[in-house]
Amino acid sequence: MPETSQRELGDSDSPIEDALEYAFRRMVDEGTQRLHRTWREVLVTGFFGGTDIAIGVVAYLAVLQATDQPLLAGIAFSVGFLALLLGRSELFTEGFLIPVTTVAAKRASVGQLLKLWGGTLFANLAGGWMLMWLIMTALPRLHEKTVESAAHYATAPLSVETVALSLLGGMVITLMTRMQHGTESMPAKIAAAVAGAFLLAGLQLFHSVLDSLLIFGALIAGEAPFGYLDWLGWFAYTAVGNVVGGLLLVTLLRLVRSKDRLQEERRDAEESEPGERH
């Protein structure tokens, strides 16, 4: 359909459908705020993101120990994603769709994106480690199941299968973010969080932060047949796979879909720059 017809049919005078326009506007507005955070704000928000995910991990372990059913435990893990959603904390892999769209729209810089990624990842791991220490200290009955679950990740060799698992992990978490920003309905956002947890944790996909907390728990328990160097080797390729999966399989396609609207936003940003310098 020609662009002029699309504009005439919609209510928003946008070159894309109204629903996509509203979602695009929400993403850019939120991304601009997130990318202009100070270092203190980035680190504190990321720290709470790590502790929120750790709460999901303990829920996952408790149900897994009681039922030995990963799919049921995956649903229990949704507690962590719900905490992220309702508590407005930040998870490293949530930083793909919205911040990248904002940078592509020239509403923030690449340097600000790297600050968000680096600060959030560090704070996620630090906050998650601290809470996993508390969980393992308080609940020693979960030690055995934690070590068993963590070994699935920490001892996995680099292979086509493990790379595919990390790509899917990045895709699923980014898709969850896309679904949540495609609606203003809180029940729909909650449903997306539960669905994302079911796929990510229930199918034991590789996620750089979530699974790192499982590995940290096993190491803190002191019974793991692996060490921090094994974690680091696993983490290196998993984090890269998550980034590639989230960016190429979801974010890039969304940017292509909204290309015309993105170009308009870039022009508006360029035109507003001279005025902002005064």
Side-chain angles (χ1 to χ4, degrees), residues 86-100:
L86 301 177
R88 297 287 182 176
S89 50
E90 184 91 39
L91 184 63
F92 165 62
T93 46
E94 286 186 305
F96 299 153
L97 178 61
I98 298 170
V100 170

Side-chain angles (χ1 to χ4, degrees), residues 4-269:
T4 53
S5 298
Q6 183 64 59
R7 290 180 184 276
E8 292 169 359
L9 287 173
D11 295 329
S12 62
D13 191 31
S14 172
I16 58 177
E17 291 93 332
D18 288 342
L20 289 177
E21 168 63 23
Y22 300 144
F24 179 87
R25 189 71 262 158
R26 283 196 299 270
M27 284 193 293
V28 172
D29 288 346
E30 180 182 327
T32 301
Q33 295 178 51
R34 287 165 64 180
L35 285 164
H36 284 82
R37 288 171 179 161
T38 63
W39 270 108
R40 175 180 57 82
E41 293 170 328
V42 168
L43 293 174
V44 171
T45 308
F47 182 89
F48 282 118
T51 59
D52 288 344
I53 288 299
I55 293 298
V57 169
V58 72
Y60 172 87
L61 290 169
V63 173
L64 187 62
Q65 179 167 276
T67 66
D68 203 29
Q69 295 293 325
L71 293 178
L72 288 177
I75 295 174
F77 174 75
S78 63
V79 171
F81 283 163
L82 292 174
L84 283 173
L85 173 66
L86 301 177
R88 297 287 182 176
S89 50
E90 184 91 39
L91 184 63
F92 165 62
T93 46
E94 286 186 305
F96 299 153
L97 178 61
I98 298 170
V100 170
T101 299
T102 305
V103 172
K106 289 195 171 183
R107 295 299 180 180
S109 68
V110 173
Q112 289 171 312
L113 176 64
L114 295 177
K115 179 178 78 172
L116 178 70
W117 280 356
T120 299
L121 179 57
F122 171 80
N124 282 168
L125 296 174
W129 190 97
M130 290 182 65
L131 203 63
M132 289 306 298
W133 176 86
L134 186 62
I135 290 167
M136 291 296 103
T137 302
L139 301 169
R141 63 182 180 274
L142 293 180
H143 285 188
E144 182 178 352
K145 185 57 68 174
T146 302
V147 172
E148 177 187 328
S149 299
H152 171 73
Y153 306 101
T155 62
L158 178 61
S159 66
V160 173
E161 179 184 354
T162 54
V163 169
L165 286 168
S166 66
L167 291 172
L168 286 173
M171 177 184 177
V172 166
I173 190 74
T174 309
L175 179 60
M176 183 187 77
T177 303
R178 175 186 169 186
M179 290 190 292
Q180 289 177 334
H181 284 82
T183 179
E184 294 181 353
S185 167
M186 184 54 69
K189 292 176 184 285
I190 292 172
V194 174
F198 174 77
L199 292 172
L200 191 63
L203 295 179
Q204 297 179 312
L205 304 180
F206 281 19
H207 185 275
S208 53
V209 176
L210 188 169
D211 304 326
S212 287
L213 302 197
L214 272 175
I215 295 171
F216 290 164
L219 292 169
I220 291 166
E223 305 166 12
F226 46 81
Y228 281 99
L229 285 179
D230 297 304
W231 162 73
L232 189 60
W234 171 88
F235 176 81
Y237 75 78
T238 299
V240 172
N242 287 168
V243 171
V244 173
L247 293 182
L248 293 186
L249 299 180
V250 179
T251 303
L252 180 61
L253 295 178
R254 185 60 181 263
L255 293 179
V256 170
R257 180 65 184 84
S258 303
K259 183 187 70 171
D260 294 335
R261 182 64 183 85
L262 191 63
Q263 290 175 339
E264 286 188 353
E265 192 71 21
R266 290 168 65 88
R267 284 195 296 269
D268 290 345

